[in-house]
Amino acid sequence: DDCDGIKSVDISNRGSIGNQAFYGCNGMETANVTNKGAVGSEAFSGCSSLKTVTLGDSIDSLGDKAFYQCTNLQAITIPNTVLSIGTYCFGYLSLSEISIPQAVMTVGDYAFQEKCEKRMQELLDAGTTVIFVSHSIEQVKRMCNKATWIEKGKVIMTGDAETVCDA
């Protein structure tokens, strides 16, 4: 459906938001989602004007690419009740001073991975705080100065990246 011109959505139904429900809604700036269930794959993908997203405590999962290519997203609230976040849910999300790359360092060929790592280093050099989640000890050592080791939902150790990675 053509949904251009919709500035805001407030969703509080009892079911999930379907796949591509608001795909490409240019002009949408705010989404408040308090329904019970899931946000489907690509539900808000390509909403290039989307600035603020608030997800309620009844959301349990976010589908693949749910907020992919929402390039102007400035704030998102995700409750700790979300049990599953799909692949590339946010693509590459950058919220002003904090950057959260998601799965960009482990996909694609070697040249693509190098390009991603170079971009991350540029962000770090510019003073951006980067939250980097990885299973690759070598990448954590190379890209981070601080690290937190989390196992089965519990913090095991926090400190200098090299020390934490060698533990």
Side-chain angles (χ1 to χ4, degrees):
D1 290 349
D2 182 17
C3 56
D4 287 354
I6 295 175
K7 293 271 188 210
S8 178
V9 293
D10 249 323
I11 303 166
S12 58
N13 62 9
R14 292 183 183 201
S16 297
I17 297 173
N19 297 343
Q20 297 185 338
F22 297 98
Y23 184 88
C25 287
N26 299 316
M28 184 186 303
E29 296 178 3
T30 305
N32 296 308
V33 183
T34 57
N35 64 307
K36 185 173 186 170
V39 174
S41 296
E42 299 185 72
F44 292 91
S45 283
C47 295
S48 59
S49 298
L50 192 59
K51 294 178 183 175
T52 305
V53 174
T54 303
L55 301 174
D57 289 338
S58 295
I59 299 293
D60 58 17
S61 65
L62 303 175
D64 294 344
K65 298 184 180 181
F67 296 95
Y68 191 72
Q69 295 180 337
C70 293
T71 54
N72 287 309
L73 200 56
Q74 296 171 2
I76 185 161
T77 303
I78 302 173
N80 61 5
T81 56
V82 174
L83 303 175
S84 172
I85 297 178
T87 307
Y88 303 111
C89 181
F90 301 101
Y92 187 85
L93 177 61
S94 184
L95 303 173
S96 58
E97 299 292 319
I98 300 175
S99 186
I100 307 170
Q102 184 186 15
V104 295
M105 301 294 281
T106 58
V107 297
D109 60 16
Y110 181 74
F112 179 75
Q113 290 176 11
E114 273 190 329
K115 182 179 175 182
C116 291
E117 193 166 316
K118 180 181 176 195
R119 177 65 180 132
M120 287 240 331
Q121 193 59 55
E122 289 170 0
L123 290 168
L124 290 166
D125 292 345
T128 302
T129 299
V130 175
I131 300 170
F132 180 62
V133 179
S134 178
H135 294 280
S136 170
I137 298 298
E138 292 308 312
Q139 283 183 332
V140 172
K141 283 182 176 181
R142 194 169 51 251
M143 299 300 298
C144 304
N145 57 9
K146 295 179 186 174
T148 299
W149 173 7
I150 301 172
E151 189 172 312
K152 296 181 182 176
K154 294 186 181 183
V155 174
I156 305 298
M157 184 179 194
T158 297
D160 173 73
E162 191 84 19
T163 303
V164 173
C165 289
D166 289 341

